[in-house]
Amino acid sequence: MQASLAFACRGLARRRPIRYTKFVDPGRFRLVDTDIELEPTVLDMTDWYCPARRFVMRQEVRYKNQHQVVDVVDIEQGNR
Protein backbone atom coordinates (compact mmCIF):
# COMPACT_ATOMS: atom_id res chain seq x y z
CA MET A 1 0.00 0.00 0.00
CA GLN A 2 1.36 3.43 -0.95
CA ALA A 3 0.66 6.63 0.94
CA SER A 4 1.78 10.21 0.59
CA LEU A 5 2.78 12.53 3.39
CA ALA A 6 0.98 15.86 3.59
CA PHE A 7 3.34 17.60 6.01
CA ALA A 8 6.13 20.16 5.88
CA CYS A 9 8.66 17.47 4.89
CA ARG A 10 7.53 16.45 1.44
CA GLY A 11 9.74 14.05 -0.39
CA LEU A 12 12.74 12.25 1.00
CA ALA A 13 15.09 15.10 0.10
CA ARG A 14 14.03 17.17 3.10
CA ARG A 15 14.10 14.25 5.49
CA ARG A 16 17.36 13.05 6.95
CA PRO A 17 18.21 9.35 6.71
CA ILE A 18 19.49 7.75 9.89
CA ARG A 19 20.96 4.32 9.18
CA TYR A 20 21.83 1.77 11.84
CA THR A 21 21.96 -1.93 12.57
CA LYS A 22 19.50 -3.29 15.13
CA PHE A 23 20.24 -6.48 17.04
CA VAL A 24 17.12 -8.24 18.35
CA ASP A 25 17.43 -11.15 20.76
CA PRO A 26 13.89 -12.22 21.71
CA GLY A 27 15.27 -15.05 23.84
CA ARG A 28 13.03 -17.82 25.04
CA PHE A 29 9.29 -18.04 25.54
CA ARG A 30 6.96 -20.74 26.72
CA LEU A 31 4.06 -21.99 24.61
CA VAL A 32 1.82 -24.33 26.60
CA ASP A 33 4.36 -26.90 27.86
CA THR A 34 7.09 -26.19 25.33
CA ASP A 35 10.02 -23.78 25.68
CA ILE A 36 10.92 -22.14 22.38
CA GLU A 37 14.28 -20.46 21.85
CA LEU A 38 14.30 -17.84 19.09
CA GLU A 39 17.48 -16.98 17.22
CA PRO A 40 18.91 -13.46 17.46
CA THR A 41 18.17 -11.32 14.41
CA VAL A 42 20.16 -8.55 12.73
CA LEU A 43 18.07 -5.86 11.00
CA ASP A 44 19.36 -3.06 8.75
CA MET A 45 17.29 0.00 9.61
CA THR A 46 16.80 3.38 7.95
CA ASP A 47 14.76 6.04 9.73
CA TRP A 48 13.74 9.09 7.67
CA TYR A 49 13.64 11.91 10.19
CA CYS A 50 11.74 15.11 9.44
CA PRO A 51 13.26 18.05 11.37
CA ALA A 52 10.20 20.25 10.78
CA ARG A 53 7.90 17.66 12.40
CA ARG A 54 10.56 16.35 14.83
CA PHE A 55 9.44 12.86 13.96
CA VAL A 56 10.50 9.79 11.99
CA MET A 57 8.13 9.86 9.02
CA ARG A 58 9.34 6.64 7.35
CA GLN A 59 11.12 3.56 8.61
CA GLU A 60 12.68 0.98 6.31
CA VAL A 61 13.64 -2.46 7.62
CA ARG A 62 15.79 -4.93 5.72
CA TYR A 63 16.17 -8.51 6.91
CA LYS A 64 17.80 -11.08 4.64
CA ASN A 65 15.90 -10.72 1.33
CA GLN A 66 12.91 -8.90 2.83
CA HIS A 67 12.25 -5.17 2.76
CA GLN A 68 9.46 -3.51 4.75
CA VAL A 69 8.47 0.16 4.88
CA VAL A 70 6.35 1.95 7.45
CA ASP A 71 5.11 5.43 6.47
CA VAL A 72 3.52 7.86 8.89
CA VAL A 73 0.53 9.36 7.09
CA ASP A 74 -1.09 11.36 9.88
CA ILE A 75 -0.06 12.87 13.21
CA GLU A 76 -2.58 14.00 15.78
CA GLN A 77 -1.51 16.36 18.53
CA GLY A 78 -3.15 15.93 21.89
CA ASN A 79 -4.58 18.80 23.95
CA ARG A 80 -1.99 20.56 26.05
Side-chain angles (χ1 to χ4, degrees):
M1 179 159 64
Q2 293 287 333
S4 62
L5 305 175
F7 297 116
C9 285
R10 293 180 192 214
L12 296 179
R14 293 193 185 143
R15 289 182 256 164
R16 298 179 184 161
I18 302 167
R19 292 182 175 88
Y20 57 97
T21 301
K22 185 175 185 177
F23 298 93
V24 179
D25 187 359
R28 177 184 308 187
F29 71 96
R30 187 167 187 81
L31 181 63
V32 186
D33 292 331
T34 306
D35 287 331
I36 298 174
E37 185 82 27
L38 297 175
E39 294 291 322
T41 303
V42 178
L43 305 171
D44 293 317
M45 309 289 295
T46 303
D47 290 343
W48 292 91
Y49 177 74
C50 175
R53 300 297 294 183
R54 297 183 193 171
F55 202 79
V56 172
M57 301 301 288
R58 168 179 274 200
Q59 186 174 67
E60 299 177 17
V61 181
R62 291 188 187 275
Y63 172 68
K64 295 185 178 180
N65 292 330
Q66 299 176 5
H67 180 232
Q68 297 178 357
V69 176
V70 177
D71 280 328
V72 174
V73 295
D74 192 18
I75 296 176
E76 292 183 24
Q77 293 183 335
N79 296 333
R80 291 186 179 189

